[in-house]
Amino acid sequence: MIFPTSSMKGCVAAIGTFDGVHRGHRSVLEAIVSMAKENDLEPVAITFDRHPLSLIAPDRCPSALTPLNKKKKLISEAGAHPVVLSFDDPLRNTTAAQWMKRLAEDFNVKTLIIGYDNTFGCDGVNLSLEDYRRIGKENGIEVLTAPEIKGVSSSAIRKSVKAGELEKAHEMLGRPYSITSKVEKGNSLGHTIGFPTANIEIPEGIAIPKPGVYIAIVKILSDGSKHKAMVNIGSRPTVMRGDHTVIEAHILDWDGNLYGQEITVRFLKRIRDEKKFESIDALKHQLAQDRDTVKNYF
C-alpha cells in the first residue's frame, strides 16, 4: 500500500516492525493520529512485509506475534494508514539519511515519531536521537519521540507466550494473545472418547504457547460466533507416538463440522502441563476436570 506524493497531503509517520501491535506500539500510533488531526495531516505507519532479521540474520529471526494481514488490520483500527514496504537488499542497505530523503520525497512526511528505542537505517545502531533530528531537519522533517511504556516489548511478549504466561502477554498486548488458522482433519480420536476437537493448522513462523492445556475463546470466522473452549498444545503422549506438536480445541456446548474453516483461538489462561496418562479412562477423567475448570473460569 503506497501513497503517491502527488495525491497525498503531508503526513505524520512512524516506522517499525510493529510485531504484535502491543501497548507500546499503540502509544506511538496514538501519537501520530493525534498530531495528524491537530495539523490536518495523514497518520501513516510504515512497516515491512517480513521481519528484517529474516534477511539480515535468519538464525536470529524471532517468531512473529502477528501475521502481516492482522498487523495491518490492528494498525488501521488504531486510526493510522499501514504502508507495507518489501524488506529486500536495497532497503536493508538504506542509510538513515537515505531513509529521511525517501520519507520526504515519496511519502511527504512532515513529522516522524519514533519509539524510545527505535532505530532505522543500516547505520542506525550508531545514531542517537539528536542525529535523527539533525538528519530529519535537513530533509524538512521534524523528529519527535513517543512516550515509553516500560516493560512492554515484542520480545517480552514473545517470551511470555512461549513460557505459557498468557496473562502477562495479555497485559502487555492489551488483548488476549491469539492464533488464527484453518481447522484441519485429525484422527477423530477426540470424538471416540467424548471430547471432539478442532485440530488447528499451525501457522508457519508464528509464536506458539508452551505445550499444555489452556482456557480459551474460539471465534468461528464464518459466522462471527464466539465459544468457550479448552485447548491442548503438544504431542498428545497418551495416544500418539513421536513429538509432532498439534493444537486442538475442544469447544464447549457446540457441535458441528469445522473442517477447512478458519477460527481464531484467544488464549486466556494456562491450566496445566501436558502429561502422559496410564490409560484412556484416566485421560478422560482429567479432561472432564479440565472442562469443569474452564466452565468455572467463565
Side-chain angles (χ1 to χ4, degrees):
M1 183 177 182
I2 302 296
F3 295 108
T5 304
S6 60
S7 62
M8 178 185 176
K9 60 183 177 181
C11 68
V12 182
I15 304 173
T17 57
F18 291 100
D19 188 25
V21 194
H22 54 61
R23 288 174 54 222
H25 293 141
R26 285 204 299 279
S27 74
V28 175
L29 295 172
E30 287 166 5
I32 66 174
V33 169
S34 175
M35 184 163 289
K37 286 181 179 177
E38 291 173 5
N39 296 280
D40 191 30
L41 300 171
E42 294 287 346
V44 171
I46 299 173
T47 189
F48 312 109
D49 61 347
R50 55 176 168 161
H51 196 289
L53 283 177
S54 67
L55 180 64
I56 297 169
D59 57 325
R60 293 193 290 113
C61 184
S63 302
L65 297 171
T66 45
L68 182 58
N69 60 344
K70 183 175 181 180
K71 183 194 302 186
K72 289 166 60 179
K73 181 175 183 288
L74 290 169
I75 290 172
S76 295
E77 288 174 352
H81 302 296
V83 173
V84 179
L85 301 181
S86 175
F87 195 87
D88 51 19
D89 279 321
L91 194 64
R92 169 187 180 177
N93 295 312
T94 300
T95 66
Q98 292 169 332
W99 258 109
M100 289 290 191
K101 188 174 189 302
R102 182 176 182 185
L103 292 175
E105 294 180 354
D106 293 357
F107 301 101
N108 201 11
V109 173
K110 302 300 182 185
T111 302
L112 179 67
I113 296 181
I114 62 177
Y116 75 97
D117 63 347
N118 183 226
T119 62
F120 59 89
C122 59
D123 54 347
V125 69
N126 299 314
L127 300 178
S128 66
L129 175 60
E130 289 309 311
D131 290 324
Y132 282 112
R133 284 178 170 157
R134 173 182 53 79
I135 298 168
K137 188 174 182 180
E138 292 170 357
N139 289 275
I141 298 173
E142 180 183 23
V143 177
L144 303 174
T145 55
E148 174 187 358
I149 297 183
K150 292 186 180 296
V152 176
S153 68
S154 298
S155 58
I157 295 167
R158 198 175 293 113
K159 183 178 179 180
S160 292
V161 168
K162 292 188 174 183
E165 298 170 342
L166 276 301
E167 290 157 306
K168 282 186 181 179
H170 186 161
E171 173 64 23
M172 290 185 279
L173 282 167
R175 65 184 188 280
Y177 182 68
S178 66
I179 293 175
T180 298
S181 191
K182 284 186 178 181
V183 175
E184 59 185 1
K185 192 165 182 61
N187 58 15
S188 300
L189 180 65
H191 283 275
T192 66
I193 63 173
F195 290 88
T197 60
N199 285 46
I200 301 152
E201 187 177 293
I202 298 179
E204 185 177 356
I206 297 297
I208 303 300
K210 179 181 179 179
V213 180
Y214 293 84
I215 299 169
I217 292 287
V218 165
K219 180 178 180 180
I220 301 172
L221 301 192
S222 61
D223 61 13
S225 62
K226 298 175 183 178
H227 309 270
K228 304 166 190 173
M230 63 181 191
V231 177
N232 182 75
I233 298 177
S235 59
R236 299 179 292 184
T238 305
V239 297
M240 299 293 287
R241 294 180 179 178
D243 58 359
H244 176 63
T245 298
V246 297
I247 303 176
E248 49 185 2
H250 173 64
I251 304 173
L252 277 61
D253 305 319
W254 189 88
D255 186 33
N257 188 346
L258 290 174
Y259 294 145
Q261 292 195 48
E262 280 202 332
I263 64 174
T264 295
V265 179
R266 294 173 181 161
F267 296 92
L268 303 181
K269 182 181 177 68
R270 191 170 187 269
I271 301 175
R272 62 173 176 86
D273 289 337
E274 185 182 48
K275 62 177 289 187
K276 183 174 182 177
F277 294 91
E278 294 180 358
S279 66
I280 294 297
D281 284 341
L283 171 61
K284 288 168 64 177
H285 179 71
Q286 181 62 62
L287 291 176
Q289 289 185 329
D290 294 339
R291 183 168 55 193
D292 288 342
T293 299
V294 174
K295 289 180 177 179
N296 291 335
Y297 177 88
F298 289 103

